[in-house]
Amino acid sequence: MRMSELSRRSGVSVTTIKYYLREGLLPAGRQLSATQAEYDENHLRRLRLIRVLIGVRGLSVSTTREVLGALAGHTADTHRLLGLTLGAIRLADEAETDSPEPAEVDALIEELGWDVHKSAPARVTLADTLASLRTLGSPLDRRALLSYARLAEETAVLDLDQLDGIEAPLEVAERALLITVLLEPALMALRRMAQQNESARRYADGADRAAD
């Protein structure tokens, strides 16, 4: 396909495509003449992934280039490809955070029997959140934490079920990013509505229900 068709099918402007070509994010097409090049489905998949990495995950152009470079060596390893795409695994040259070692999180992961990469940023995020709850005088009961973890486990199964039947590695990466990043606000909205429903079931009398 020519660049105009690549633009139409990807939803990315010709100007932006040319910019991605100059920045090395998108490989050059097959040269037809001094001013014309031809692109294929691999260019389309990569362009869609670039759009999602920058527009949805919010990465800079330079970080997107690093992620794409890392992905290039792991297209046959879906597990690592997903980790790199979603940020569950740090890039090799990313600096470690200064947060304390999340020992409590390590113990939780071991109890759950989960296989989580040691460099996963989510480990530190969870540890910091639990520490903040304790500081505010509202520590999370361990049984409640385990229950939340099991709900997250079920959500992860639903997430990865959405990838079944997709064979192209770049398409897998794009789909995983979309259902993870874009679906998170929807999941939060469902949680809020479920809380309201449960509050009504537990605490609202007939008059309150009618007013709602």
Side-chain angles (χ1 to χ4, degrees):
M1 73 189 87
R2 300 295 178 86
M3 187 178 290
S4 58
E5 184 179 354
L6 181 64
S7 172
R8 179 181 61 79
R9 293 181 61 185
S10 67
V12 179
S13 70
V14 170
T15 300
T16 302
I17 293 174
K18 290 179 177 179
Y19 172 67
Y20 290 161
L21 286 166
R22 290 196 304 272
E23 291 295 319
L25 271 66
L26 190 68
R30 186 172 69 88
Q31 208 66 35
L32 300 177
S33 68
T35 58
Q36 293 288 333
E38 186 178 56
Y39 303 90
D40 58 23
E41 293 297 319
N42 287 326
H43 286 92
L44 179 60
R45 292 191 188 100
R46 187 176 174 103
L47 186 55
R48 284 173 171 165
L49 179 56
I50 293 168
R51 180 190 62 185
V52 174
L53 286 170
I54 293 176
V56 175
R57 192 176 158 196
L59 299 185
S60 66
V61 169
S62 60
T63 303
T64 297
R65 188 189 301 109
E66 292 176 19
V67 170
L68 291 170
L71 291 179
H74 299 284
T75 53
D77 185 347
T78 303
H79 175 55
R80 189 155 183 85
L81 181 143
L82 290 175
L84 290 165
T85 303
L86 298 174
I89 300 175
R90 289 190 182 93
L91 295 173
D93 58 350
E94 279 190 322
E96 296 289 333
T97 67
D98 294 329
S99 297
E101 192 68 24
E104 182 180 11
V105 174
D106 288 343
L108 174 68
I109 291 171
E110 183 176 355
E111 184 171 352
L112 290 165
W114 287 0
D115 182 358
V116 179
H117 200 279
K118 280 291 184 182
S119 73
R123 285 175 173 263
V124 177
T125 299
L126 180 55
D128 289 345
T129 301
L130 294 177
S132 296
L133 285 170
R134 283 194 298 272
T135 300
L136 294 170
S138 299
L140 190 62
D141 178 83
R142 185 165 187 79
R143 287 174 298 176
L145 183 59
L146 284 169
S147 296
Y148 278 117
R150 291 306 181 192
L151 288 174
E153 198 171 50
E154 293 180 24
T155 302
V157 171
L158 291 173
D159 286 340
L160 295 193
D161 280 349
Q162 307 306 309
L163 306 181
D164 287 348
I166 304 176
E167 297 181 0
L170 294 184
E171 193 172 348
V172 168
E174 179 199 7
R175 177 67 174 166
L177 265 174
L178 289 174
I179 63 175
T180 299
V181 179
L182 291 186
L183 196 57
E184 282 180 346
L187 295 178
M188 183 60 71
L190 287 170
R191 183 185 184 190
R192 292 288 184 265
M193 288 189 286
Q195 287 172 339
Q196 182 177 4
N197 176 70
E198 183 63 15
S199 174
R201 188 186 70 81
R202 293 188 185 199
Y203 308 122
D205 59 24
D208 289 337
R209 289 175 185 272
D212 289 343

